[in-house]
Amino acid sequence: MKKVDLLLVNTVRSAIDAALTQALSNPKLNEPTLVAKLVQQIPLQINNALPLPPGLSIRSGGVFVHQTPKVKWTTPAMQKHRSVEIGDLLLLRKEIVKGKPEQTRALLLQAKKIDSNWAGQPDNPDQHTLYHEWPPFEYVRSTPALNGEKRHVISKDIYMGAKYLLLSNSPYPKGCCCHTQYIGQSGCICKTAMPTSPELSFYHCFADELTQFILGLAGLKYIKAGKRIGWDKVIEDLTTITAEILTVYTKTNKAKGLRGQGDYKLCFLSGDTGALSFLDSNIVSRIPTLDENDGDSINNFERGNEGEDGGISIIEFTVSYD
């Protein structure tokens, strides 16, 4: 990672504050809708962030899909529900130095709305178990290609790569500033938390954490998975399944915009679609792309039938140094 200067930090943080102010202006919306607004606004604001240091560029693209992949434990006695979502939002970061890829990072987020500043124990014990313990699991309701595939995430740093995203029932104030990670001291209404047990802890302002992620100082590294079945493979799975879901949408003529008929499921792109390294250009050209004037087009919707296949919403950042 190159030396980070104050200009860069302030520019990125200001763009993120603007994005969160827009995306979280109506906190009464449900979790999927708020995630959709984050996917729309964050890439748009990051791509317009100025000034940047000479020789540096930051481009971002987002993809939102309605459904999310499900998993179940390979030891069913541990699980109370038939399946559980693996996450709501995946952040990816790719660093390029003089045209050559140097490093990739990921941050997997499980979004939860909270009534107060402190979340305590999550309301879904299976989701908490997944993020706290990462027991061996297999995919279900996650496309035929992944259903039945088994994974086992083992990493001493996994809490850096998989966290809760806590969304308060208060609107995000313009210029929200919170720089503490300590439990009970954070006044931020949008923050991450480590999935410790019995209660969540190490609260961190989401605007700060996202700034650090874009600068290469947060999240968890991943590499090409190969035959491994841990963290690297899970990230590969999630990008692959989202690309596959969008391919199905285009082939069945369901990607016609934000509203459709029958079993149509909402999906859209945002920002610089060329920054989405896991999507083929033919898919990108057939999926609706939202701009900054399309905020009202995202309706308040709930998750669909959990029996349907699902991908995961993704925001990818490409940070290039000349």
Side-chain angles (χ1 to χ4, degrees):
M1 178 66 198
K2 303 300 180 183
K3 182 179 179 180
V4 177
D5 62 26
L6 186 59
L7 170 65
L8 177 59
V9 173
N10 289 338
T11 297
V12 173
R13 176 58 191 267
S14 295
I16 292 170
D17 274 334
L20 298 187
T21 300
Q22 292 292 325
L24 305 179
S25 61
N26 183 1
K28 301 304 180 182
L29 299 175
N30 57 32
E31 291 166 17
T33 306
L34 293 177
V35 171
K37 289 182 173 292
L38 291 173
V39 172
Q40 178 202 19
Q41 288 294 331
I42 290 174
L44 290 172
Q45 297 294 338
I46 288 296
N47 291 339
N48 292 326
L50 291 172
L52 293 176
L56 172 67
S57 69
I58 304 176
R59 305 302 296 167
S60 179
V63 54
F64 178 81
V65 291
H66 189 181
Q67 301 293 341
T68 61
K70 310 291 195 302
V71 300
K72 68 177 183 180
W73 314 157
T74 55
T75 52
M78 296 173 56
Q79 192 168 8
K80 296 182 179 181
H81 301 89
R82 291 185 302 169
S83 62
V84 62
E85 294 177 356
I86 197 170
D88 293 296
L89 179 62
L90 176 64
L91 304 179
L92 300 175
R93 180 189 187 271
K94 178 172 61 177
E95 182 176 307
I96 299 175
V97 179
K98 295 182 179 180
K100 296 182 179 181
E102 290 286 326
Q103 186 186 100
T104 49
R105 289 179 173 268
L107 179 57
L108 180 62
L109 297 170
Q110 181 69 248
K112 289 292 177 186
K113 295 192 69 176
I114 55 174
D115 294 326
S116 64
N117 188 48
W118 178 62
Q121 291 180 320
D123 57 0
N124 188 322
D126 285 339
Q127 286 178 335
H128 194 197
T129 296
L130 177 64
Y131 275 49
H132 174 60
E133 300 180 21
W134 285 97
F137 66 85
E138 66 178 85
Y139 290 99
V140 295
R141 304 182 179 92
S142 301
T143 75
L146 271 183
N147 289 341
E149 290 292 318
K150 296 178 174 58
R151 303 288 183 257
H152 190 193
V153 175
I154 301 177
S155 172
K156 63 181 180 180
D157 299 321
I158 188 59
Y159 285 4
M160 301 300 295
K163 297 186 176 186
Y164 278 82
L165 174 60
L166 306 175
L167 305 170
S168 173
N169 280 322
S170 299
Y172 189 92
K174 185 176 182 180
C176 174
C177 185
C178 168
H179 298 284
T180 178
Q181 301 181 59
Y182 300 102
I183 188 169
Q185 297 180 17
S186 171
C188 184
I189 61 159
C190 179
K191 54 195 172 185
T192 61
M194 287 190 178
T196 48
S197 182
E199 296 181 339
L200 306 181
S201 62
F202 293 96
Y203 293 89
H204 193 176
C205 170
F206 180 54
D208 274 352
E209 180 138 13
L210 184 52
T211 299
Q212 293 171 12
F213 181 80
I214 293 173
L215 299 180
L217 303 174
L220 187 59
K221 294 179 182 178
Y222 71 95
I223 59 176
K224 189 174 181 179
K227 295 182 179 180
R228 289 180 291 273
I229 61 171
W231 172 251
D232 301 326
K233 190 64 174 177
V234 169
I235 300 305
E236 181 180 286
D237 293 337
L238 296 179
T239 54
T240 300
I241 192 175
T242 294
E244 184 176 334
I245 288 295
L246 294 181
T247 301
V248 172
Y249 286 176
T250 58
K251 288 183 178 179
T252 55
N253 295 318
K254 293 177 183 177
K256 297 179 179 178
L258 293 178
R259 297 181 178 87
Q261 303 296 325
D263 62 346
Y264 171 78
K265 292 167 284 189
L266 178 68
C267 65
F268 64 79
L269 304 177
S270 65
D272 183 352
T273 56
L276 298 170
S277 61
F278 56 93
L279 288 185
D280 182 89
S281 58
N282 291 328
I283 298 176
V284 168
S285 64
R286 300 184 62 187
I287 301 293
T289 301
L290 300 192
D291 59 30
E292 60 186 354
N293 298 318
D294 288 327
D296 293 336
S297 299
I298 303 175
N299 297 319
N300 189 7
F301 60 89
E302 300 289 346
R303 294 290 184 204
N305 185 337
E306 70 170 20
E308 299 172 345
D309 296 336
I312 189 168
S313 299
I314 298 174
I315 302 174
E316 184 168 3
F317 306 91
T318 300
V319 182
S320 302
Y321 296 92
D322 292 339

